Amino acid sequence: MPPLISGEYMESSTPTPPPAPPMPSPPVTYAAPAAPQVVHHYHHPDKSGGIAALLEVIPGLFQVFGIGHMYAGKVGTGLIFMFGYWALAFVNFLLLFVLIGWITWPLCWVAAMIISPLTAANACKSR
């Protein structure tokens, strides 16, 4: 007998087994309908423009601006006001030695005391 691919000899007297019966199909199941989605909306209370202005004016007396903007939800703008004013104050401090700083520092402070509360109050209105 000729060898098969696997190296074994096939005997002619062995009958071939009958084919296996087909597998039964799985039972059909239906998923329950999905529950409705519930969406929760959180209502942010309105921010007061007066409080935002006070949070600019009172710390502004101590050379700190931007807190009212942070209260209004504009954190980036508040940080720009805070660090920007401090950078400007440092330049004005250096200008004190040239005597022009005695004029520019109070002018910058007054301008910041006017502009910062107004923009903070407007930031509350825009939200």
Side-chain angles (χ1 to χ4, degrees), residues 1-4 8-13:
M1 284 189 175
L4 295 175
E8 298 177 4
Y9 292 100
M10 183 173 174
E11 295 181 22
S12 59
S13 63

Side-chain angles (χ1 to χ4, degrees), residues 80-125:
I80 288 172
F81 264 96
M82 184 178 291
F83 292 115
Y85 179 78
W86 288 344
L88 189 62
F90 178 73
V91 170
N92 283 319
F93 174 76
L94 295 177
L95 289 176
L96 286 174
F97 298 108
V98 190
L99 300 178
I100 191 73
W102 294 100
I103 298 169
T104 58
W105 197 342
L107 287 176
C108 291
W109 180 80
V110 168
M113 286 293 279
I114 293 170
I115 294 170
S116 185
L118 290 175
T119 57
N122 286 337
C124 287
K125 292 178 187 175

